[in-house]
Amino acid sequence: MEEVLTEGKNFRLVDESELPEIIDFLADFLPDSIKFHQTLKTYLNDKVWDFHFYVTKNWPEQAVILHFPGMTRTPNNKLYESFSVFCPCDQLDNLELLETEDVLIDWSQPIYLNFTHAKIMNKIENFYANIGTVEKLYGDVYGLMDPQIEDTPSEVVIAEQAEICQLKPEHAQIIHDLYPANQMECIEVFEKLIDKLPCFGIFSAQGDLAAWMVQSYYGAMFSMQTRPEYRRKGYGIILAKHLTNLVTERGYLPFVVIRPENDASKGLYAKLGFKKYFETVRAILRPYEETGDSQGGGGTEHSDSEGVVAVNGDVELKGDQ
């Protein structure tokens, strides 16, 4: 097992007892901090996956926070191969500590950054231009900062006598197999999501799993997919509405990541009251001298029930399905 470092050059490992105070600190920077805020909350409440959180050695005066790994699977399955980072947008000069961090982050190797605020990514690009190239996938964060729990009808009316149910562990394999970004997420994370978080599917009258959507380990609602033969039945909006309500009931802030050009998904979530808050980026950072063909961390597509495509939790218009 890879050793967990207690400190780097500029950062120290956070003790779990510190997490509630850090969550409260990040709440002052919502909505910009929503992904990191909800990741911490999900970790503390549900322990879906083992993450290791680091703050600057003089936190919170220099407010930069990291977690490793940034995603549950990377090409070499190394703990420090990917990370996530948050820094308040009015304190971005503190990211110089990231540039000079040479213990936790090996800038001479490919780095996989999970969804990161675009302003933070721009700052990283400024110094990384001297190291290598940046491969990016953009998305817009839409969410509900003041969600209201709606009255849920005792029965949800679904086309063709289908029904909506919490997923079971035996469904993890099919969801993972049909998840195009499965090189980034191992099947174990889907099993744990199903066990610990709201993960719902719509089942046909014959008992087939027709569509599904889950809450992720970083708090977002993602992996909305519908099998082709069950599309055009409104399953997407049913799942999105149902999961939004459940996420809210459990004390989380519902949010999704949508590709900027995806008017279909914007319309779907607008019906539920979601608003756009900021742009986010997933990126692969490759040093100039790195000539291998490592794969992972990039965007991959999957279809949902409304003729849109999701990019590992993002949704993107892809014409008629």
Side-chain angles (χ1 to χ4, degrees):
M1 174 178 275
E2 193 171 356
E3 178 186 4
V4 178
L5 302 175
T6 58
E7 65 177 14
K9 179 179 180 180
N10 302 315
F11 298 85
R12 65 171 179 84
L13 185 65
V14 171
D15 186 84
E16 189 169 309
S17 64
E18 300 176 79
L19 293 182
E21 185 176 345
I22 293 174
I23 290 172
D24 289 343
F25 177 86
L26 293 176
D28 291 336
F29 299 96
L30 290 169
D32 288 339
S33 64
I34 190 168
K35 179 181 176 291
F36 220 107
H37 181 270
Q38 297 292 281
T39 298
L40 277 164
K41 194 166 186 177
T42 307
Y43 174 82
L44 192 62
N45 293 344
D46 302 295
K47 294 292 172 59
V48 173
W49 202 253
D50 285 332
F51 293 111
H52 305 283
F53 299 92
Y54 292 80
V55 294
T56 56
K57 291 183 177 180
N58 61 343
W59 172 274
E61 284 74 22
Q62 288 181 295
V64 183
I65 181 169
L66 315 172
H67 77 70
F68 298 87
M71 54 192 70
T72 64
R73 175 183 284 176
T74 51
N76 301 303
N77 292 316
K78 293 181 178 179
L79 176 60
Y80 295 98
E81 190 169 29
S82 72
F83 69 92
S84 287
V85 55
F86 176 74
C87 176
C89 291
D90 60 353
Q91 302 175 37
L92 295 179
D93 286 346
N94 288 329
L95 289 172
E96 65 183 11
L97 296 174
L98 201 61
E99 178 181 359
T100 58
E101 178 56 54
D102 56 7
V103 176
L104 300 176
I105 303 171
D106 184 355
W107 294 109
S108 70
Q109 298 297 316
I111 298 292
Y112 302 87
L113 276 175
N114 210 336
F115 293 118
T116 302
H117 198 295
K119 290 183 179 180
I120 295 173
M121 183 60 68
N122 289 341
K123 199 74 173 180
I124 292 173
E125 281 192 273
N126 287 342
F127 72 76
Y128 196 79
N130 296 320
I131 301 173
T133 61
V134 180
E135 202 176 300
K136 295 180 290 185
L137 176 70
Y138 289 92
D140 292 325
V141 169
Y142 281 72
L144 294 172
M145 291 301 105
D146 186 24
Q148 303 297 316
I149 299 174
E150 298 182 5
D151 292 332
T152 304
S154 57
E155 292 186 8
V156 178
V157 179
I158 307 175
E160 300 179 358
Q161 289 75 53
E163 63 177 346
I164 186 167
C165 301
Q166 170 74 24
L167 296 172
K168 297 180 180 180
E170 57 262 33
H171 300 128
Q173 185 69 60
I174 188 170
I175 292 174
H176 181 263
D177 289 347
L178 295 175
Y179 183 54
N182 56 18
Q183 80 279 9
M184 296 171 52
E185 312 288 7
C186 54
I187 188 171
E188 289 81 7
V189 76
F190 285 91
E191 292 171 343
K192 291 188 176 185
L193 290 173
I194 289 171
D195 181 55
K196 295 178 177 293
L197 294 172
C199 299
F200 276 79
I202 291 180
F203 294 81
S204 71
Q206 292 73 39
D208 295 329
L209 179 57
W212 55 88
M213 187 178 191
V214 306
Q215 184 182 357
S216 78
Y217 56 84
Y218 54 87
M221 305 191 309
F222 87 135
S223 192
M224 182 194 288
Q225 299 187 69
T226 302
R227 287 178 165 176
E229 63 269 33
Y230 293 104
R231 293 177 190 154
R232 309 297 184 188
K233 300 179 186 298
Y235 291 170
I237 188 110
I238 291 171
L239 283 166
K241 185 174 183 178
H242 190 66
L243 206 65
T244 296
N245 214 34
L246 287 172
V247 164
T248 302
E249 287 177 344
R250 299 181 81 248
Y252 291 97
L253 294 173
F255 76 99
V256 294
V257 184
I258 302 176
R259 290 296 298 273
E261 67 276 17
N262 186 357
D263 293 334
S265 291
K266 292 175 186 177
L268 186 155
Y269 285 101
K271 293 177 182 177
L272 302 179
F274 284 64
K275 297 179 181 178
K276 176 184 172 181
Y277 290 106
F278 61 90
E279 186 177 60
T280 188
V281 183
R282 177 185 288 125
I284 307 175
L285 285 66
R286 298 188 188 277
Y288 291 124
E289 63 271 19
E290 205 278 329
T291 57
D293 191 28
S294 299
Q295 299 297 315
T300 321
E301 300 178 342
H302 58 271
S303 299
D304 80 2
S305 64
E306 302 304 318
V308 299
V309 165
V311 186
N312 190 35
D314 318 342
V315 274
E316 172 186 5
L317 186 63
K318 198 177 181 177
D320 293 333
Q321 299 291 316

